[in-house]
Amino acid sequence: YGQEKINQYTRFLTIPLAAMQAFGMYLLLRGQGIMSTLTPIQLVALIATMITGTMLSIWLGELITEYGVGNGVSFLIFAGIISALPTAIIQTKDFVTTENIAKIGIFILIAVIVMALVVFISEAVRRIPVHYARRSRGEVAGATSYMPLKLNQAGVIPIIFAVSLILMPSMAANFLGSSGNAQLAKVAQDVAAALNPQSLLYNVLYFVLVVAFTYFYTTVVFNPEKIAESLQKNGGFIPGTRPGPQTAKYLGSVLNKITLAGALFLGVIAILPSIVQTFVNIPNLVVGGTGLLIVVSVVIEMTRDLESQLIMRKYDHFIK
């Protein structure tokens, strides 16, 4: 019931967020000259259409989650990223020349290495041994298990937060640039130039925001005090560490160390497209850092779900 309430509140919150994003897209397209100025009725119709499309996508995602394999919304995003690859490959065929063979080879090598690192970091865990003391017929026997702490607890969420935050000044600059005021237009032009995706300031801010949001989201998701309290209630303890506050302190220390590695990795992945674009100069990089993380995460999750379905079917057949 609680999960149903959370889903209901999420849908309610999606509507105003979709309206804001629709209006922002309209301002962006109008500022680029792609769309003309709309009347109030046309603008309301545009926003309502985009909100309807958003809610339809959420509904399709929930149907896929319920009847399909894996998370439905992530699968839709995955399909959108993958579907753009053939077009990008066709558009870059003119780039394939004898002079650019070395650049293409370097780009393919970097892509393979980055993909392997993404899979490794996504699957990497720090296993903390946990001992449990259980009583059986007056004797005490020890049971040992492991607490897996993922190197990347936050997933792709910090990059999404950082992108949303770092794009706000650019959107505000585009809006102020079309206001008609010369001073505001000059300020907007300077802000847009400073926050160009290829500029050093943009990439430094992007990297810092990704690292900060990684720590923030990990702190929200993983609470060492609650984990230590749960271990103590169930008779579990970490060898060499006293139950209670000492266990919470130890878990917090370990989490900070592994989160630093995960945060730095996410930051590098986030700014990697700009680095590759600068040094290799290959156009149409469709799958950037965020897209690569989403694709790898969805493929791994889908593989796990398929394996669990196969195992469950085998068990059902064995029981029958």
Side-chain angles (χ1 to χ4, degrees):
Y1 179 74
Q3 186 64 41
E4 290 179 359
K5 278 294 182 182
I6 292 176
N7 291 337
Q8 186 178 8
Y9 294 151
T10 303
R11 296 188 190 97
F12 289 155
L13 186 61
T14 301
I15 296 176
L17 289 177
M20 291 174 58
Q21 188 176 12
F23 185 68
M25 290 296 297
Y26 162 70
L27 293 178
L28 180 63
L29 295 176
R30 189 188 66 176
Q32 294 177 349
I34 299 176
M35 290 184 62
S36 60
T37 303
L38 300 180
T39 63
I41 296 178
Q42 292 174 335
L43 182 60
V44 170
L46 173 66
I47 294 176
T49 304
M50 297 187 72
I51 292 175
T52 305
T54 302
M55 302 309 295
L56 179 62
S57 300
I58 293 176
W59 176 67
L60 290 175
E62 291 179 351
L63 286 180
I64 295 173
T65 303
E66 185 176 357
Y67 298 104
V69 179
N71 185 277
V73 176
S74 300
F75 185 79
L76 291 177
I77 299 174
F78 166 80
I81 295 172
I82 295 300
S83 64
L85 286 178
T87 303
I89 294 173
I90 293 174
Q91 290 176 353
T92 54
K93 68 179 186 299
D94 297 333
F95 186 79
V96 181
T97 58
T98 307
E99 294 80 6
N100 296 324
I101 290 297
K103 290 184 178 180
I104 295 174
I106 294 173
F107 174 74
I108 294 175
L109 180 62
I110 292 174
V112 172
I113 294 174
V114 169
M115 194 171 300
L117 286 175
V118 169
V119 175
F120 175 76
I121 296 296
S122 299
E123 294 294 292
V125 295
R126 167 72 183 274
R127 298 202 306 174
I128 298 178
V130 178
H131 289 187
Y132 290 93
R134 66 174 186 267
R135 297 185 179 274
S136 176
R137 295 183 180 179
E139 298 179 355
V140 178
T144 304
S145 63
Y146 292 93
M147 179 189 303
L149 295 182
K150 293 189 66 175
L151 192 63
N152 182 16
Q153 294 270 355
V156 74
I157 300 298
I159 297 182
I160 296 175
F161 284 170
V163 167
S164 303
L165 192 61
I166 203 169
L167 287 181
M168 285 184 180
S170 299
M171 293 181 63
N174 291 330
F175 178 74
L176 294 176
S178 58
S179 62
N181 191 317
Q183 294 181 350
L184 288 179
K186 180 64 170 57
V187 172
Q189 185 178 1
D190 294 339
V191 171
L195 293 180
N196 180 27
Q198 299 298 326
S199 65
L200 179 62
L201 178 61
Y202 176 90
N203 288 282
V204 170
L205 287 177
Y206 195 9
F207 182 85
V208 172
L209 285 175
V210 170
V211 173
F213 277 122
T214 302
Y215 271 96
F216 171 75
Y217 191 78
T218 303
T219 304
V220 172
V221 172
F222 188 88
N223 191 339
E225 286 78 13
K226 289 187 178 180
I227 299 297
E229 182 181 356
S230 177
L231 284 176
Q232 189 173 12
K233 287 181 179 179
N234 291 281
F237 64 94
I238 299 174
T241 306
R242 297 182 61 181
Q246 292 296 327
T247 300
K249 184 178 179 181
Y250 174 77
L251 291 176
S253 175
V254 173
L255 188 66
N256 287 332
K257 293 177 182 177
I258 63 176
T259 301
L260 176 61
L264 293 177
F265 176 77
L266 284 180
V268 171
I269 287 295
I271 65 174
L272 187 63
S274 298
I275 298 175
V276 174
Q277 192 81 22
T278 301
F279 289 98
V280 183
N281 195 22
I282 292 182
N284 299 322
L285 292 178
V286 177
V287 182
T290 309
L292 184 61
L293 282 173
I294 292 174
V295 169
V296 171
S297 300
V298 171
V299 170
I300 292 175
E301 182 183 0
M302 191 179 302
T303 304
R304 287 176 178 170
D305 288 342
L306 289 174
E307 289 179 353
S308 63
Q309 290 287 338
L310 291 174
I311 293 174
M312 184 177 65
R313 298 300 178 188
K314 290 181 181 178
Y315 279 134
D316 288 344
H317 180 72
F318 175 74
I319 292 174
K320 290 178 181 178

